[in-house]
Amino acid sequence: MAQLRLGAIGLAAKDVAYIRALLRLYSHTAKLDWVFVDHPPFAAVVTDRAVRAAQAVWFAGFNGPVLTLVEPPGAPEADTVAYPVHAEQMRTWLALRQQTLRAPAATAPAPAPAPAPAPAPAAIVSEPAPQAREAAAPAVAERRYKLRRWPSPAMLQNNELHLKIATLLSRNDLSTLRLAALTGHSEDACRRFLIMLHQAGLLTESVAPGDMPGHAHEPADASAAPVRNGLLASLRRHLGL
């Protein structure tokens, strides 16, 4: 099995050298299956807040995990590590992401029978097209999300998009399509932050039948148990768990 490739975006040479050395050490002491590389393709990347903000377009298009170096304390489960690079937190993050990235090979589901055309599996389902709503009726529903409580600074990462999404979801339950329209960012970019919020237990979800006339949106906590289970299953499909 090929090693997982970690790259650095915009970091100082001394930090790159230290991270490279940590990966070599952990490959022996912690049996972590990572290798530091200088060129793509990357399974994951490490950067800092300034570079992430300056190259927002590149990071929005990157599908792998992104580790951001931040001021202490850092939270590996939220993809942040304290800077100067905290070695123990770095090891924790590498182990967590290795488990996530390696999971698809171990738990790949059996192929399902071919259904009628439907949206591809995603962590969070966006609003279906009008034709799909008419064809699928109650089987296709719009998922909406709202904050339980305000995220920590480590999760917000002083990121403008994260702040916008948190502010919007603190007041309303919204779909990914609506968030994309309100923030001016892609659904994928909004979806990635929603996944972080869900993993931290900060998100509630409701299901409403699109924006069809005569249908009122359900409150954010309606049918909480089955809806949360649906989101968890969707997240697992998106992450390959």
Side-chain angles (χ1 to χ4, degrees):
M1 183 179 296
Q3 289 182 296
L4 296 169
R5 296 165 60 90
L6 179 69
I9 307 296
L11 295 185
K14 64 181 180 64
D15 295 323
V16 170
Y18 183 54
I19 293 172
R20 190 192 303 271
L22 285 177
L23 263 62
R24 288 174 179 167
L25 173 65
Y26 294 152
S27 68
H28 298 288
T29 62
K31 304 302 181 184
L32 294 180
D33 196 20
W34 288 90
V35 60
F36 191 90
V37 294
D38 296 315
H39 304 288
F42 302 130
V45 295
V46 55
T47 188
D48 60 28
R49 283 179 172 171
V51 174
R52 190 163 185 175
Q55 300 188 35
V57 173
W58 187 93
F59 285 101
F62 181 68
N63 293 325
V66 177
L67 173 63
T68 305
L69 303 180
V70 299
E71 294 182 0
E77 65 280 2
D79 291 324
T80 62
V81 162
Y83 183 83
V85 180
H86 191 292
E88 183 64 25
Q89 288 187 4
M90 187 74 182
R91 183 177 68 176
T92 299
W93 182 83
L94 290 168
L96 287 171
R97 295 301 156 244
Q98 177 173 311
Q99 183 179 16
T100 299
L101 292 168
R102 289 299 193 207
T107 60
I124 297 169
V125 179
S126 59
E127 180 181 2
Q131 299 92 326
R133 287 201 297 267
E134 294 174 3
V140 176
E142 180 185 9
R143 295 184 183 276
R144 299 170 184 271
Y145 309 92
K146 191 172 184 180
L147 278 181
R148 295 177 184 273
R149 60 183 182 276
W150 191 254
S152 67
M155 290 193 66
L156 292 174
Q157 302 174 359
N158 201 27
N159 182 292
E160 181 181 354
L161 175 58
H162 293 183
L163 290 170
K164 284 183 179 180
I165 291 176
T167 301
L168 290 167
L169 294 185
S170 68
R171 302 169 181 168
N172 306 283
D173 52 329
L174 299 169
S175 67
T176 55
L177 185 63
R178 186 60 177 158
L179 283 173
L182 292 172
T183 62
H185 288 72
S186 68
E187 277 195 83
D188 283 342
C190 296
R191 183 178 292 115
R192 278 192 288 274
F193 184 51
L194 289 181
I195 292 171
M196 291 176 58
L197 293 174
H198 175 77
Q199 290 174 333
L202 300 181
L203 213 57
T204 63
E205 181 184 2
S206 62
V207 177
D211 286 328
M212 300 169 62
H215 292 276
H217 295 162
E218 297 180 13
D221 59 353
S223 304
V227 171
R228 283 198 297 271
N229 290 339
L231 177 57
L232 183 57
S234 296
L235 284 170
R236 284 175 171 166
R237 287 195 301 272
H238 180 75
L239 297 172
L241 294 175

